[in-house]
Amino acid sequence: MKSLSRAPWLGALALSLSLVACGEAPTPPASPPTHASASLREPARRFVPGHVIVKFRESDEASLRASPPTLRGFHAQDVKALAGGARLWSLEPEQRRLGASIAEEEAELLTAIEALRADPRVEYAHEDLYMEYFAVPSDPLYAQQWHYPAINLPTAWNSVTGSVKVAVLDTGKLAHPDLSGKWTTGYDFGDNDADPTDDDTYHHGLHVAGILSANANNGIGGAGVCWGCQLMPVKVSNNNAPVMSNVGNAIRWAADNGARVINMSFGTTSGTAPCSGYAYIQSAVTYAVQKNVVVVAAAGNNAADTANVTPASCTGVIAVAASGRNGQLAPYSNRGERVDVTAPGGDPNFYGDGIGCPVDGTTYSGTDGAVSTWAAYKAGTTLLPGDYCYRYLSGTSMASPHVAGLAALILSQRPSMTPAQVTARIKGTATPLPCKACGTGLINAAAAIYPPLPTKPAKGNWYNPARNGNGLDIQYAASDSLSLTWLTYTSAGAPIWYMSTLTAETGVWAGDLYESYWNGSSASATKVGTAKLTLTSGQWRYVWTKGAASGNEPIQPLAFGGGFTTMNLSGNWYNAWEPGWGILFDSRGTVHVANVLIYNGTRPTWVQGVVDSGSTSLSFNLSYVTGTNLCPGCTGTPSTAVQPAGTLTVSGSAGVPSTVTASTQVSFPGGSWYRSPFTLSRLTGP
């Protein structure tokens, strides 16, 4: 619930931003460059981190099951039985090395497996390999899209093909058949109207859009990086280069209308226009990032320093350089310390072959660029069905949508990730290049995509049957995160609650543990430890740290009630006028449990009530529970004492209401919490 504490809970300079800068050169080169063959490395085998499949020799199995082999640096846990007498084990490092790369962690696991194989009592042991669904698209031009295998994208598609909305700030939308069904509502900041159709003759945005999200497996053309994503057309020009005033408005509009990723394949060309000098565009980028939008921009095509290019140099933007078919930094690409990553852009013959294009007076040639959607060189409003085709084009304009598409794939898997986390993931998994000026390297989609989500625990109240008295409430904050509230006690026996937002990691849900403090009108949170939920052999466990104390407790859902629920209140509720406190309801049948999370002075405390009623007007008799030997890390015989603490009344409507009217009359040792009728709002999750 870290995020809940930060939620309700707890005319500008018209500087030209030329499409030429980051897309294609204004005229085709005099002669095509030498064709460079693609360097397509065989992707490394992928396996589930921390898992090993092991089978003991029959004569030794009983003793080894009781006393498993010791593996230096790892704790071994039995997860489950497999067919044929094998077992699935989890190997958890005794200590995690800060800053260790994914490759280093994988190497350490493989070393541990080798040690296991050397034990004569072990028949075999090996990593738990991911299998392939072979999600390579069947589209006829896919074989010519060399730029996707170059970043291990086919392997990533085995896990995710996308589901979020990507804003294409460019020349506008067109009805290319390979983008059928892709376009959502957009806006035209060139003409200031709601029709973002491309009415120019040069269809830069169409090529960018195809790289981002062209349909796959539809029998025509090629595929897009995030072929399951939707495209938001945001036109930033009107038969001219985009201007900064339009771009700033477009960024903010996209952020306000549901985009999770923004792609900008354009930028300044003067070489003396760093974003630090243009507060208007920086403020727009900052606005989008604060609204949880990932912003991606092309570095530029002048073999110059990206630090002097806007918007690529803006703080919060992922700045993208271009690589050629040889996997190295393209000679035209901008570079420098401001570059974050490199992605396929193609080689210097910017304008390449058309594929299936009508004769339109253009005579470009070459197959070194990225293959994507295109149309004849005529006004977009006059295009006919036979005018749509495909073309090889090169430039950092083509590199940028590869990164924006990868960001969209990551967010499709992990929608609760922040722009900073997505950026760190893309940069941290890139393949290093022998180039100090091309960021952390060439993006690696297979490495950037996460393993499948671990199993989710049931929502609602949980408890430790071995040490009854402590409680947990688990809710779904997003498809990839859980809100956990820990109802426990101080060493003096006073009730206290902690909160955590748990995100999906390898086989577990994990996050930081926070304690909340009240200042009289709102709350702030301070990190006090860590929290984790694990599932081993069918048993859920709550693993926590708090200061020097730690625990690893079996937990199970609290079973009560059943049948039809008239008014289902289950979940987190908050008072929008007083952020920082709230009520956790669990409704099952006619039984409703309320955990009221409030404060005694500045410190968090809680009271609890239960009511059995099929009405939509409920009155809870609340109890203040103190606990002996139940604090985190406490030992000894546990016990609890209960005393009346007042009432909570709730009035709502049948079904699953989004708001209810409530009031509290709460008294407890050292304080009280009186609140006259107020509105409680449900904190929504998936």
Side-chain angles (χ1 to χ4, degrees):
M1 289 175 39
K2 174 184 175 184
S3 60
L4 304 186
S5 68
R6 298 178 182 177
W9 251 88
L10 270 162
L13 176 65
L15 177 67
S16 176
L17 300 174
S18 173
L19 290 171
V20 169
C22 301
E24 296 74 46
T27 57
S31 59
T34 302
H35 180 81
S37 61
S39 174
L40 306 181
R41 294 178 296 276
E42 185 71 21
R45 67 184 187 274
R46 299 178 67 226
F47 51 86
V48 182
H51 277 193
V52 57
I53 298 174
V54 59
K55 187 173 189 288
F56 305 125
R57 299 192 186 280
E58 190 172 338
S59 59
D60 299 302
E61 182 171 4
S63 62
L64 282 169
R65 288 283 304 281
S67 179
T70 300
L71 294 175
R72 184 178 179 182
F74 288 87
H75 293 298
Q77 283 188 311
D78 185 70
V79 176
K80 63 182 178 181
L82 302 175
R87 310 289 304 183
L88 179 63
W89 276 12
S90 172
L91 298 184
E92 182 74 14
E94 292 177 350
Q95 289 186 327
R96 289 196 178 274
R97 294 193 294 112
L98 293 177
S101 68
I102 293 174
E104 288 171 332
E105 291 179 352
E106 290 177 344
E108 289 169 358
L109 177 65
L110 292 174
T111 299
I113 293 174
E114 285 296 332
L116 193 58
R117 287 177 181 151
D119 191 314
R121 300 167 297 175
V122 173
E123 183 174 328
Y124 61 77
H126 55 74
E127 61 269 40
D128 191 8
L129 285 175
Y130 285 115
M131 297 296 172
E132 300 282 342
Y133 281 115
F134 302 124
V136 172
S138 61
D139 305 80
L141 296 184
Y142 174 73
Q144 292 160 258
Q145 293 182 302
W146 58 268
H147 35 106
Y148 295 157
I151 57 173
N152 290 329
L153 189 56
T155 301
W157 285 331
N158 293 330
S159 299
V160 60
T161 56
S163 60
V164 302
K165 190 181 295 184
V166 182
V168 192
L169 274 59
D170 220 292
T171 59
K173 70 175 182 178
L174 287 171
H176 196 290
D178 221 357
L179 294 171
S180 175
K182 288 295 181 180
W183 299 111
T184 68
T185 301
Y187 197 83
D188 183 346
F189 286 92
D191 294 322
N192 291 315
D193 60 42
D195 180 11
T197 299
D198 182 352
D199 51 9
D200 204 349
T201 57
Y202 178 65
H203 310 300
H204 182 274
L206 179 60
H207 201 271
V208 170
I211 294 173
L212 279 166
S213 190
N215 287 303
N217 304 310
N218 62 343
I220 60 172
V225 174
C226 190
W227 79 57
C229 286
Q230 292 289 295
L231 297 174
M232 175 189 287
V234 188
K235 188 180 173 188
V236 292
S237 62
N238 181 18
N239 296 320
N240 288 297
V243 292
M244 185 175 284
S245 53
N246 288 346
V247 172
N249 284 339
I251 292 171
R252 290 175 179 267
W253 189 91
D256 287 338
N257 285 274
R260 289 303 313 272
V261 181
I262 291 173
N263 184 79
M264 296 185 288
S265 288
F266 50 79
T268 54
T269 59
S270 68
T272 58
C275 188
S276 58
Y278 303 97
Y280 170 73
I281 198 72
Q282 179 62 70
S283 67
V285 170
T286 300
Y287 179 83
V289 171
Q290 289 175 343
K291 297 206 72 169
N292 220 26
V293 180
V294 176
V295 184
V296 184
N301 296 342
N302 298 322
D305 190 348
T306 306
N308 294 318
V309 176
T310 296
S313 64
C314 293
T315 301
V317 168
I318 303 178
V320 186
S323 60
R325 290 193 70 156
N326 62 358
Q328 304 303 309
L329 185 69
Y332 60 81
S333 176
N334 283 358
R335 55 207 64 200
E337 293 183 1
R338 182 56 192 89
V339 169
D340 290 299
V341 288
T342 301
D347 290 318
N349 58 332
F350 290 91
Y351 301 90
D353 288 354
I355 305 173
C357 292
V359 176
D360 59 4
T362 59
T363 57
Y364 313 137
S365 64
T367 57
D368 292 332
V371 175
S372 186
T373 46
W374 194 245
Y377 190 78
K378 55 196 265 191
T381 52
T382 64
L383 289 171
L384 301 173
D387 291 327
Y388 291 108
C389 58
Y390 301 83
R391 186 178 286 283
Y392 290 89
L393 291 181
S394 297
T396 55
S397 274
M398 285 62 255
S400 182
H402 283 80
V403 175
L406 177 55
L409 290 174
I410 294 171
L411 286 171
S412 298
Q413 275 195 319
R414 301 286 192 269
S416 65
M417 289 183 73
T418 66
Q421 290 171 326
V422 173
T423 301
R425 183 70 178 182
I426 292 173
K427 293 177 64 175
T429 55
T431 303
L433 295 175
C435 165
K436 294 181 180 180
C438 46
T440 59
L442 184 66
I443 60 170
N444 186 333
I449 295 303
Y450 287 85
L453 290 175
T455 302
K456 279 189 175 181
K459 293 191 289 186
N461 286 285
W462 291 65
Y463 73 103
N464 177 359
R467 194 171 176 81
N468 201 352
N470 282 268
L472 298 173
D473 186 273
I474 299 171
Q475 299 295 330
Y476 299 164
S479 63
D480 64 330
S481 65
L482 308 173
S483 293
L484 180 144
T485 305
W486 185 11
L487 307 170
T488 184
Y489 304 89
T490 66
S491 57
I496 189 171
W497 51 275
Y498 304 100
M499 56 189 175
S500 180
T501 295
L502 307 180
T503 56
E505 294 187 3
T506 303
V508 301
W509 299 92
D512 292 327
L513 190 67
Y514 285 82
E515 182 177 343
S516 190
Y517 296 88
W518 184 251
N519 66 11
S521 60
S522 63
S524 59
T526 299
K527 180 183 173 181
V528 294
T530 62
K532 186 184 296 185
L533 293 175
T534 68
L535 179 63
T536 303
S537 299
Q539 173 64 63
W540 282 99
R541 303 189 73 87
Y542 174 48
V543 183
W544 56 269
T545 65
K546 184 179 179 297
S550 62
N552 188 327
E553 308 173 15
I555 58 170
Q556 65 184 48
L558 183 65
F560 64 89
F564 178 75
T565 300
T566 303
M567 181 172 64
N568 192 337
L569 299 175
S570 294
N572 294 306
W573 294 74
Y574 67 97
N575 176 1
W577 297 103
E578 278 191 321
W581 69 279
I583 302 173
L584 295 166
F585 287 108
D586 197 349
S587 300
R588 306 184 193 182
T590 58
V591 180
H592 307 268
V593 176
N595 292 301
V596 186
L597 309 180
I598 50 180
Y599 297 88
N600 188 348
T602 61
R603 301 297 299 274
T605 192
W606 54 273
V607 293
Q608 187 179 76
V610 180
V611 66
D612 188 346
S613 171
S615 173
T616 56
S617 295
L618 306 174
S619 181
F620 294 83
N621 292 318
L622 300 174
S623 298
Y624 181 79
V625 184
T626 57
T628 302
N629 296 328
L630 278 168
C631 66
C634 286
T635 59
T637 303
S639 65
T640 57
V642 181
Q643 63 186 79
T647 59
L648 164 69
T649 62
V650 177
S651 295
S653 58
V656 185
S658 59
T659 60
V660 296
T661 300
S663 65
T664 64
Q665 296 284 328
V666 182
S667 295
F668 40 77
S672 62
W673 194 268
Y674 296 142
R675 295 294 186 274
S676 57
F678 59 90
T679 299
L680 274 177
S681 300
R682 185 189 294 272
L683 189 64
T684 57

